[in-house]
Amino acid sequence: MDPPLKDVRILDLGQIYQGGYCGMVLAYLGADVVKVEPPWGENVRTRNEDGKPPQYQYLNPNKRGITINLKSERGKGLLKELAAEADVIFENYGTGKMDELGVGYDTLKKINRELIYAHGSGYGDTGPYSEYPAMDLTVQAMSGIMSTTGFPEPPPVKAGPAVADFFGAIHLVAGIVSALYQREQTGSGQYVEVGMFDTIYPTLASPVASWVSETDTPPRTGNQHSGLSIAPYNAYEVEDGHVTIICIAERHWESLVRLMGKEELLGVERLSSKSKRAEHIGEVDGYIKDWLEGMEKAAVTEQLREAGVPCAPVRTIEEIVTDDHLEKRGMLNHLPNQSDGREDVPVPGLPIKFSGSDQPEVESAPLLSEHTEEVLAEFLDYDHELIDALDEEDVI
């Protein structure tokens, strides 16, 4: 069976992480994704001198790459011609930027009524924050991530990964795919927009629940549950690092207690339910810390898994990029590094699996303008003479 988005043509004007990952997922789903960059390259290319940083290679596989100078009138005209042949165009420039250039949705929909135009931004197109400049860090700060991450006493900290960028990207993918489905019913394209700020709010379920319940929960709870409503739920120190342990169901708690040799706790009223144990988090954690004294990660997690207790060691990036499970799931694709450093880049695969089609073969991210001539000839039937003229005019 063909991949889900076979024969869908997408112009990817995305940049940095939100745009890069959105286009990557769409490419893995089978779309012909053409990454459109300015002649000097998109923003993330500036993270090293040669314009081929690992981040770019990591997030732009399976795309074709072209360059267009949208500051030139001829470049704007070229984008319009390509949009007439495309199914989707998406970008994550500042709200209103493409309209200022004269190539926003209102312009392009007149050229192609079936075009789906998707825009990702920090705060969305409407509302009092819509014109605020935004990056992952600022959205993390505004959205509540930083105020709920870290321990109570030190300053708030951001989440390690660029969570706002990637939440924004995957919601943009969902919007694009939904619009494609709806176009099958209506024959018309539409405008899709996603604000990263909006995508974070649903993740605050636990701290918001504490606020609704008017419980005395600190804004930051370290590695404990963010609503302090589950115990045990923590990262516990062992001889060679830390392990995480969580008991969601009563059977988990009962198994853990037996494993620790503390069966007498099963008869203690104050620890007899999840909510009651949450009221005595310090006591519960104390029993576990005593049990873990002198133990190591591998032994602890093996025993807990055999007992059916949810757990995991706290692992390093070095362990993740060599992980056998990710390898077997097709999530680690070792492609030649185009820049300095290690020999290869462990490029992510597609997390979504389909019974009816194979996982995509992962190919290296395009070099800057690598496919410009190929795409213009294929989409617009341009010949070498015309393409050379555009090059001489610095349009491409």
Side-chain angles (χ1 to χ4, degrees):
M1 193 181 295
D2 290 329
L5 297 186
K6 184 179 184 293
D7 297 328
V8 175
R9 282 180 166 177
I10 297 178
L11 299 178
D12 170 358
L13 277 72
Q15 56 178 331
I16 318 182
Y17 290 176
Q18 183 192 29
Y21 189 60
C22 176
M24 181 181 116
V25 172
L26 293 167
Y28 283 170
L29 291 173
D32 178 9
V33 176
V34 176
K35 186 173 181 69
V36 183
E37 300 182 66
W40 46 90
E42 68 126 300
N43 184 285
V44 82
R45 285 191 184 272
T46 64
R47 298 192 182 187
N48 72 2
E49 291 298 320
D50 65 13
K52 295 177 280 191
Q55 299 96 319
Y56 182 86
Q57 299 179 62
Y58 192 83
L59 292 175
N60 290 282
N62 289 38
K63 304 178 185 180
R64 295 194 283 177
I66 70 172
T67 54
I68 301 178
N69 185 357
L70 293 179
K71 294 183 177 180
S72 71
E73 290 305 313
R74 185 68 184 91
K76 295 172 188 176
L78 183 56
L79 182 65
K80 292 175 184 177
E81 290 183 64
L82 290 169
E85 303 299 323
D87 296 290
V88 178
I89 182 171
F90 77 87
E91 45 87 7
N92 61 319
Y93 288 103
T95 295
K97 181 64 177 177
M98 296 293 280
D99 291 321
E100 291 175 16
L101 291 171
V103 287
Y105 176 61
D106 287 341
T107 298
L108 298 183
K109 71 178 180 180
K110 296 173 184 175
I111 299 167
N112 181 356
R113 67 178 294 272
E114 296 184 359
L115 181 70
I116 291 159
Y117 187 114
H119 171 60
S121 64
Y123 299 105
D125 289 354
T126 58
Y129 306 157
S130 61
E131 295 184 6
Y132 287 6
M135 295 293 288
D136 182 87
L137 176 64
T138 60
V139 174
Q140 285 203 34
M142 287 284 284
S143 66
I145 290 177
M146 290 183 66
S147 69
T148 57
T149 302
F151 290 85
E153 295 306 322
V157 297
K158 73 177 187 66
V163 290
D165 277 336
F166 285 91
F167 267 81
I170 204 64
H171 280 80
L172 199 60
V173 170
I176 290 169
V177 172
S178 299
L180 282 168
Y181 177 79
Q182 190 170 56
R183 190 181 70 176
E184 291 296 306
Q185 324 303 315
T186 66
S188 298
Q190 62 178 300
Y191 181 77
V192 177
E193 66 109 342
V194 171
M196 294 190 290
F197 184 68
D198 296 343
T199 71
I200 298 302
Y201 181 67
T203 72
L204 303 177
S206 291
V208 168
S210 295
W211 177 82
V212 170
S213 302
E214 297 184 326
T215 54
D216 188 19
T217 302
R220 297 185 299 280
T221 59
N223 292 314
Q224 294 177 323
H225 186 257
S226 56
L228 294 183
S229 59
I230 301 174
Y233 182 120
N234 211 335
Y236 302 92
E237 187 173 4
V238 292
E239 286 294 302
D240 59 345
H242 291 78
V243 296
T244 58
I245 302 172
I246 174 175
C247 292
I248 293 293
E250 288 304 313
R251 67 179 184 277
H252 298 146
W253 169 245
E254 293 167 4
S255 296
L256 176 62
V257 164
R258 293 189 178 96
L259 186 60
M260 294 191 300
K262 290 280 189 178
E263 287 86 347
E264 67 274 12
L265 297 180
L266 296 177
V268 176
E269 175 62 24
R270 67 180 179 278
L271 304 177
S272 61
S273 70
K274 186 190 301 184
S275 60
K276 290 179 179 178
R277 288 191 295 276
E279 295 172 2
H280 299 86
I281 288 178
E283 180 182 356
V284 171
D285 280 351
Y287 295 131
I288 296 172
K289 290 174 183 177
D290 290 344
W291 173 61
L292 293 174
E293 188 78 32
M295 298 178 72
E296 296 186 348
K297 289 189 292 187
V300 171
T301 54
E302 182 179 0
Q303 290 182 44
L304 288 166
R305 286 168 182 159
E306 287 180 358
V309 178
C311 67
V314 176
R315 300 167 70 205
T316 64
I317 294 300
E318 288 79 9
E319 291 173 301
I320 296 301
V321 297
T322 58
D323 182 77
D324 185 58
H325 182 84
L326 288 175
E327 194 83 51
K328 286 183 167 54
R329 294 277 293 171
M331 289 304 298
L332 295 177
N333 299 273
H334 303 278
L335 302 183
N337 184 6
Q338 300 168 356
S339 188
D340 297 330
R342 298 180 186 273
E343 291 185 0
D344 61 58
V345 178
V347 173
L350 179 65
I352 308 165
K353 316 299 181 187
F354 297 93
S355 65
S357 55
D358 295 332
Q359 283 290 99
E361 292 291 328
V362 180
E363 301 175 357
S364 295
L367 302 174
L368 185 62
S369 203
E370 180 178 351
H371 304 99
T372 300
E373 184 170 346
E374 174 184 301
V375 169
L376 294 183
E378 183 182 312
F379 277 48
L380 306 177
D381 202 27
Y382 279 17
D383 58 23
H384 292 294
E385 185 177 348
L386 181 51
I387 292 171
D388 288 343
L390 291 172
D391 189 15
E392 289 174 8
E393 296 172 27
D394 293 327
V395 174
I396 58 175

